[in-house]
Amino acid sequence: MIEVNHLAKHFGDLVVLKDVNLRIEKGEVISVIGPSGTGKSTLLRCLNLLERPTGGEIIIDGIRLLDRGTDISLLRRRMGMVFQSFNLFSHLMVIENIMLGPVDLLKMPRQEAYDEALRLLAMVGLAEKATAYPDELSGGQKQRVAIARALAMTPEILLFDEPTSALDPTMVSEVLAVIRKLAADGMTLMIVTHEMKFARDVSTRVLYMDEGVIYEEGPPDRIFVRPEREKTRAFIHRVKTATFAVQSRNFDLYAMNAGVEAFGRKHFLAENRIYNIQLVIEELVVNKLLPASGDRVDIAVTVGYSEENGVVEILLASAGKPYNPFAAVEEDDLPMTLVGRLVSSHDYAREGEVNRLRLTLPAWVKKNAC
């Protein structure tokens, strides 16, 4: 239906989108998530040419949107847009706001446009507000009118740019309920949103954007439960991190322990839990990874704390030959015995020339192992 190849958008020296590749099929519900300022809204605005891309191409049913001679207004009608700030005309009644596009652009007879506007208002639960003015409506009601107005142009896909960000929490659910109904009816939707539970429930595919690219994408069950990449995992689970570098056998262990303690206190971790984190790091770095490093010492220690579920993760990335300290643990291996009692899970992977060991400490606190 829509194909995006190597899309880029620059604002002067600021690169907002770089090499975005995407395919949208009919009937998909795609949620676009990620930190603020990573190009999510710009991607939507480029799709319907509210912003002109700097490079790349957009193809809709085989028609290249950016080619000279393409009837942009005709193609744009196939993509409805719902903004976070409603953009209703305050001097027109609700029903006039909805009729405006079909009458002026589609040349629909006024009575037909009126009847269709009433039907759409009933669909979004606002038939009784047909003759009201936008200033008489709540934020949630205004957004539902904006959705009805977009639907009046009979688009093939609806683009939502953070449709609930300007709403009070009490009004968010009424707007999301309308979007859920559109998704259930088979409408093709692309939604930039910070509503994670909604994105997980309604989407067929989720795009995580970071630094102007689609950093990771997949079905919601994988993105929200088993994200494969570090930034996605940190965003989904609201993970705060601190990283420490070990580049010498004579590194300052006391300084690193102080850094871990400061990180733990900042996130209100219990004292014995902070101690457990320090113990795991010390046993693995000092007694396992440093002896296995050979001539080159290059170890990155990252401590992550999830504000969502309270779980602590420790990621140890070490350069050198393949080495997994959990591969063959002997009974008298005291360091690994201590570590094994404190972590709930561990996972090893080899990526290029780097060993990556991920350890999870549970949300609840075990008693110290020693």
Side-chain angles (χ1 to χ4, degrees), residues 139-367:
Q141 290 171 332
K142 289 178 184 178
Q143 194 61 290
R144 284 187 280 160
V145 172
I147 294 172
R149 180 185 58 185
L151 291 170
M153 296 296 291
T154 62
E156 296 175 22
I157 180 173
L158 267 186
L159 309 176
F160 290 87
D161 186 10
E162 299 191 33
T164 61
S165 65
L167 303 179
D168 292 334
T170 55
M171 300 175 186
V172 169
S173 61
E174 63 191 60
V175 174
L176 296 184
V178 173
I179 301 175
R180 287 179 192 275
K181 184 181 187 311
L182 295 174
D185 291 343
M187 183 84 186
T188 307
L189 308 175
M190 189 167 183
I191 310 160
V192 171
T193 183
H194 289 289
E195 301 287 342
M196 296 296 103
K197 184 178 185 305
F198 170 76
R200 180 173 178 175
D201 291 346
V202 79
S203 306
T204 57
R205 184 156 48 114
V206 176
L207 311 181
Y208 174 75
M209 290 192 67
D210 206 317
E211 298 182 3
V213 300
I214 297 175
Y215 181 79
E216 185 171 355
E217 65 177 292
D221 283 348
R222 184 175 68 74
I223 295 296
F224 286 100
V225 180
R226 299 180 306 278
E228 295 177 351
R229 306 192 67 185
E230 293 299 325
K231 289 184 179 180
T232 314
R233 184 181 294 107
F235 179 81
I236 293 297
H237 299 302
R238 302 200 307 273
V239 176
K240 306 300 181 183
T241 61
T243 300
F244 309 92
V246 177
Q247 297 180 316
S248 165
R249 297 185 186 281
N250 299 315
F251 80 103
D252 192 338
L253 175 63
Y254 293 102
M256 185 167 68
N257 280 340
V260 171
E261 182 176 356
F263 175 79
R265 290 181 181 278
K266 179 180 178 180
H267 297 289
F268 305 102
L269 299 186
E271 292 294 330
N272 58 341
R273 199 165 184 214
I274 295 173
Y275 177 77
N276 287 349
I277 297 169
Q278 294 169 325
L279 181 59
V280 168
I281 294 173
E282 181 175 349
E283 294 296 344
L284 285 171
V285 171
V286 174
N287 295 311
K288 293 296 177 179
L289 298 185
L290 279 178
S293 292
D295 296 332
R296 178 189 176 194
V297 176
D298 188 0
I299 304 170
V301 180
T302 300
V303 181
Y305 171 71
S306 171
E307 295 179 330
E308 179 187 56
N309 55 27
V311 168
V312 169
E313 282 192 347
I314 301 172
L315 177 63
L316 302 171
S318 57
K321 296 179 180 179
Y323 175 63
N324 177 9
F326 284 93
V329 179
E330 298 179 1
E331 290 186 8
D332 59 349
D333 191 336
L334 181 58
M336 295 310 298
T337 300
L338 291 172
V339 170
R341 290 176 181 174
L342 292 172
V343 303
S344 57
S345 66
H346 55 84
D347 179 67
Y348 169 82
R350 177 76 174 174
E351 296 181 5
E353 299 294 317
V354 178
N355 300 296
R356 296 175 67 84
L357 180 63
R358 184 185 306 279
L359 307 109
T360 301
L361 279 69
W364 50 275
V365 182
K366 292 182 181 181
K367 293 182 179 180

Side-chain angles (χ1 to χ4, degrees), residues 19-93:
D19 199 27
V20 172
N21 297 279
L22 173 66
R23 186 174 181 86
I24 305 171
E25 302 291 351
K26 184 176 178 60
E28 279 197 292
V29 179
I30 298 175
S31 289
V32 186
I33 64 173
S36 299
T38 54
K40 305 184 300 297
S41 295
T42 301
L43 174 59
L44 291 195
R45 295 175 68 85
C46 284
L47 287 180
N48 64 4
L49 294 192
L50 289 175
E51 297 287 354
R52 187 83 182 181
T54 304
E57 62 178 3
I58 302 169
I59 305 171
I60 303 177
D61 291 337
I63 301 173
R64 299 180 185 277
L65 189 59
L66 303 179
D67 282 0
R68 290 174 178 263
T70 297
D71 188 341
I72 294 174
S73 62
L74 180 61
L75 288 177
R76 188 179 284 162
R77 291 175 201 166
R78 299 167 66 175
M79 287 189 283
M81 185 85 169
V82 179
F83 302 89
Q84 53 185 293
S85 55
F86 321 131
N87 291 357
L88 300 177
F89 292 106
S90 61
H91 67 289
L92 297 178
M93 291 186 292

Side-chain angles (χ1 to χ4, degrees), residues 123-148:
M123 189 198 77
V124 299
L126 292 172
E128 65 179 5
K129 299 293 186 180
T131 57
Y133 286 88
D135 289 347
E136 301 174 73
L137 305 180
S138 69
Q141 290 171 332
K142 289 178 184 178
Q143 194 61 290
R144 284 187 280 160
V145 172
I147 294 172

